[in-house]
Amino acid sequence: MHHKLTTPITDEAIRALHIGDTVSLNGIVITGRDAAHKFLVDRYVKADVIAAEDKDLYDELKKLLDGGIIYHCGPVVKKNEDGTYSFVAAGPTTSIREEPYQADVIRHFNVKGVIGKGGMAANTLAACAEQPAVYMHAIGGAATLIAQSVKEVVTVHKLEFGVPEAMWVIRVEDFPVVISMDSHNKSIHDIVQAESQVKYKELLGI
Amino acid sequence: MQNPVDQDLTDAFVELIRHAATVLPPDMEKAIRAAKDNEEPGSAAEGAFFTILNNVEMARDASTPICQDTGTPIFEIHYPLGVSTRRMAEQIRKACAIATQRSYLRPNAVDSLTGKNSGDNTGVDFPTMHFHEWEEDTIHVDLLLKGGGCENVSTQYKLPDSGLGAGRDLEGVRKVVLDAVYQAQGKGCSPGVLGVAIGGDRGASYIKSKQQLLRPLEDKNPVPELAALEKRIYEEANALGIGPMGFGGKTTVLGVKIGALHRLPASFFVSVAYMCWANRRATMNVQPDGKVDYAS
């Protein structure tokens, strides 16, 4: 089934999504990968007190991520002559590296969707069921195509992490994704792994 | 006309990088097209291939990167007697910086201690360069852009491996390579190409496995045992049903290429270089009259 969604996304809209569904995503998305996830968890989720220098960004991210979307992506970015930025190539990066952080980030910020590739594991799936939220699979390597659906780079946070690791706030139109983990405890990745395991054991004789 | 021995090839290297980052080699595109036609109409696997092929065309037309992870640039350079490899290495590093400025490459070189990105794809032993002197009078350069996602699922085995029932023979090699494909699932941007090296020390084995990725998909291994093993692993890996992106499907690998090295009596390594479907390789030849041509 195909859906069209615009951020901020409601819980009802998330519950209506099932693995295998395709989505055209619209609205605001924030990129965040390894450095960003470590930062979010160390400085916000697990911090007893939020440091004064991190407070403004915290307030900003709480607004953007409430009902919002995190995209595991380290883009190729062009700086335009007027000082604005454009995305040149922006496919997903492998999501499993964020597994130690993702569930905490989903719960703390009320994130509704995580876009990436390769799927995630049990902690994230549990957070998706509970929050609710979904994991949205973009096509790995389809960087030029996805960059076309990024209509505007609104701003960037933590550029000192480097271009790939910074948190880019982007506005997207009809960003194509497949729901590969839904809020009903179903994961395409678990299903394919289990099915391939049968054949794998047969081929190895183990 | 300049003698290629003295020629400044910086601009040519920039073009080689642009070509590798933005134009998928025709053999890869052909194999992906065949894989798409082989999937069930309307399946997620067919949809993934459709998106991949659209992206390949768009990247080529716009001269923008096929994938945003432009990877580790790995240069394999064959050169005639008299070329200064020190000067050529400087030209390659300069070309990487220029290609980054022009958005053909993402800034990808990160200081492992400070976490700081150098911003221009140069750093300690970055990019990777291997120089080989040869008898020809031309300069021949192969460039592979090896992405990080597939590098993270690349791996090395030490035989025997009792858990996998893999002994020190080609049957053992078969088992560990299939294990690598199974463990990777869709995380290395399947369908992948497998570069495999048997033997060597750990370092030589990994290098040899990556060099296998430069071989055209349709070539035939001159060693009959390895040709047979390549064919068998190709068929069995595809029988795993992992499919593009790990969505499930009929194509999990697009090619298997195996090379062998001498090893120590004590060691039997098998290295598996997993390359994503975006197997970005390009070639440049510099003739004695200074003429440069490119191919992928």
Side-chain angles (χ1 to χ4, degrees), chain B residues 115-146:
Chain B
K116 191 170 159 35
N117 192 316
S118 73
D120 68 356
N121 274 299
T122 69
V124 179
D125 277 341
F126 201 107
T128 299
M129 294 175 254
H130 299 132
F131 289 95
H132 318 270
E133 189 184 308
W134 68 353
E135 300 241 349
E136 308 286 323
D137 56 2
T138 55
I139 297 169
H140 176 91
V141 184
D142 289 306
L143 169 60
L144 180 72
L145 298 178
K146 180 75 172 68

Side-chain angles (χ1 to χ4, degrees), chain B residues 51-131:
Chain B
T51 302
I52 285 169
L53 288 165
N54 273 347
N55 178 66
V56 166
E57 283 175 19
M58 288 166 84
R60 186 171 50 222
D61 292 349
S63 206
T64 53
I66 296 164
C67 177
Q68 79 291 336
D69 182 6
T70 51
T72 305
I74 302 172
F75 292 87
E76 297 287 339
I77 303 117
H78 287 82
Y79 64 95
L81 181 70
V83 167
S84 164
T85 58
R86 178 181 53 79
R87 277 191 206 150
M88 193 179 284
E90 280 167 15
Q91 291 164 12
I92 288 173
R93 290 166 70 88
K94 204 169 146 197
C96 284
I98 294 169
T100 312
Q101 265 174 8
R102 294 187 188 167
S103 301
Y104 302 142
L105 295 179
R106 183 178 72 181
N108 252 3
V110 177
D111 184 309
S112 296
L113 302 183
T114 64
K116 191 170 159 35
N117 192 316
S118 73
D120 68 356
N121 274 299
T122 69
V124 179
D125 277 341
F126 201 107
T128 299
M129 294 175 254
H130 299 132
F131 289 95

